[in-house]
């Protein structure tokens, strides 16, 4: 496999350490898809010579990215890109919008969209009677061509006209906003579990791999439940960031 030559511009007058400038440029290339999963980097000697840096500086940059899970060192192969992990702040935004803002080129495959009778747990979340008709969506979300998440959502009927075509071109929250739904708050629970065989197959993962799970109910400015979601994410490609404030 030929190593990928990456252009790296350094600002030697900057107070930002040179190793960190190198690491940030490589991380940016991974996140934007300039460096794809499996791509091999020049070895430390070649990078050091090309950039006019010492080997310890390059080694520190590479180790920083290895520690973050973006690169891996393989004996006899060299340093390779693992994946561009999606890091998402815990805010009331949609995955589609977050991926688009991060340059991750989101794509959606709609697996099903139909009207079903609400099971008790879904009915309770949406504030409707058990057995009431609700809209059920099942979608597979991609980032940079890689499957990232399996999304299940339930909505009260009549909020917005949804089709497979519109859901493949826009995010669910964007479509709700376009229909005048003003989402204000959500209750969310995050956990983890092993993938089922069906989930592993759809997400292109090994059997029983770890998945992050997210269950969320979103309410509008009138306090009405407008969406309930139960999603699973590839733990190898996805993480959540939370800012903590002392009170």
């Amino acid at each position: 496999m030929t190593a990928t030559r990456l252009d790296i511009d350094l600002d030697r007058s900057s107070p930002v350490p040179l190793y960190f400038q190198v690491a940030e440029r490589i991380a940016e290339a991974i996140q934007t898809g300039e460096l794809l999963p499996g791509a091999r980097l020049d070895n430390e000697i070649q990078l050091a010579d090309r950039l006019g840096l010492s080997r310890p500086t390059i080694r520190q940059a590479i180790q920083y990215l290895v520690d973050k899970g973006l690169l891996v060192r393989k004996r006899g192969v060299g340093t390779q890109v693992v994946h561009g992990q999606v890091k998402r702040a815990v805010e009331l935004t949609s995955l589609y919008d977050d991926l688009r803002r991060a340059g991750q080129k989101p794509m959606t495959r709609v697996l099903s969209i139909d009207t079903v009778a609400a099971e008790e747990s879904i009915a309770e979340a949406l504030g409707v009677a058990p057995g009431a008709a609700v809209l059920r969506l099942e979608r597979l979300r991609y980032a940079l061509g890689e499957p990232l998440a399996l999304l299940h959502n339930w909505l009260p009927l009549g909020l917005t006209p949804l089709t497979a075509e519109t859901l493949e071109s826009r995010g669910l929250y964007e479509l709700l906003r376009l229909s005048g739904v003003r989402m204000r708050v959500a209750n969310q629970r995050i956990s983890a579990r092993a993938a089922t065989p069906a989930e592993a197959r759809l997400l292109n993962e090994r059997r029983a791999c770890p998945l992050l799970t997210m269950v969320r109910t979103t309410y509008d400015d009138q306090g009405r439940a407008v969406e309930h979601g139960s999603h699973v994410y590839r733990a190898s490609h996805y993480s959540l960031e939370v800012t903590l404030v002392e009170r």
Side-chain angles (χ1 to χ4, degrees):
M1 180 187 297
T2 303
T4 302
R5 185 184 179 90
L6 184 67
D7 292 328
I8 300 176
D9 295 323
L10 300 174
D11 183 356
R12 298 176 190 272
S13 64
S14 170
V16 178
L18 291 171
Y19 90 88
F20 192 74
Q21 292 186 45
V22 174
E24 286 291 277
R25 174 66 184 100
I26 296 172
E28 177 189 21
I30 294 171
Q31 291 162 2
T32 61
E34 187 179 351
L35 285 175
L36 297 174
R40 185 165 64 86
L41 299 183
D42 287 336
N43 64 41
E44 292 177 2
I45 296 175
Q46 292 170 322
L47 274 173
D49 288 346
R50 181 157 62 85
L51 298 176
L53 297 173
S54 67
R55 285 188 65 188
T57 297
I58 295 298
R59 188 176 302 115
Q60 188 176 8
I62 297 300
Q63 187 60 50
Y64 176 81
L65 295 173
V66 169
D67 292 342
K68 289 185 69 174
L70 296 179
L71 297 178
V72 64
R73 288 190 175 100
K74 294 183 178 179
R75 185 178 299 276
V77 176
T79 304
Q80 284 184 291
V81 175
V82 179
H83 52 73
Q85 189 179 62
V86 176
K87 291 188 175 180
R88 184 180 181 189
V90 179
E91 299 175 356
L92 186 49
T93 57
S94 73
L95 177 60
Y96 188 93
D97 292 340
D98 290 340
L99 291 173
R100 183 168 54 188
R101 280 194 295 269
Q104 295 281 318
K105 301 178 182 177
M107 292 176 54
T108 304
R109 175 183 161 199
V110 177
L111 303 178
S112 67
I113 174 170
D114 47 22
T115 300
V116 299
E119 298 177 2
E120 187 170 346
S121 61
I122 303 301
E124 182 179 356
L126 293 178
V128 300
V134 295
L135 188 65
R136 180 183 183 274
L137 314 175
E138 184 179 15
R139 295 165 296 156
L140 187 60
R141 179 64 43 76
Y142 294 79
L144 294 173
E146 279 280 316
L148 174 67
L150 183 60
L151 314 175
H152 292 91
N153 297 84
W154 294 262
L155 296 85
L157 296 182
L159 285 181
T160 183
L162 294 175
T163 65
E165 289 74 22
T166 57
L167 286 166
E168 286 177 354
S169 61
R170 296 175 183 267
L172 175 59
Y173 278 18
E174 181 182 359
L175 293 169
L176 287 170
R177 288 193 297 266
L178 289 172
S179 292
V181 178
R182 292 181 292 186
M183 292 164 287
R184 284 294 179 267
V185 68
N187 293 329
Q188 180 170 280
R189 183 174 71 254
I190 299 166
S191 188
R193 62 170 172 80
T196 66
E199 289 168 342
R201 183 176 66 254
L202 285 168
L203 293 170
N204 194 28
E205 280 280 8
R206 67 186 187 280
R207 292 172 64 91
C209 72
L211 297 178
L212 284 174
T213 69
M214 182 188 298
V215 177
R216 174 193 280 187
T217 303
T218 304
Y219 302 86
D220 67 7
D221 54 357
Q222 303 299 312
R224 174 184 57 164
V226 294
E227 175 264 338
H228 179 70
S230 179
H231 307 158
V232 294
Y233 304 82
R234 298 174 71 179
S236 60
H237 286 53
Y238 185 87
S239 65
L240 290 155
E241 293 186 343
V242 181
T243 299
L244 304 176
V245 180
E246 183 181 13
R247 298 193 183 280

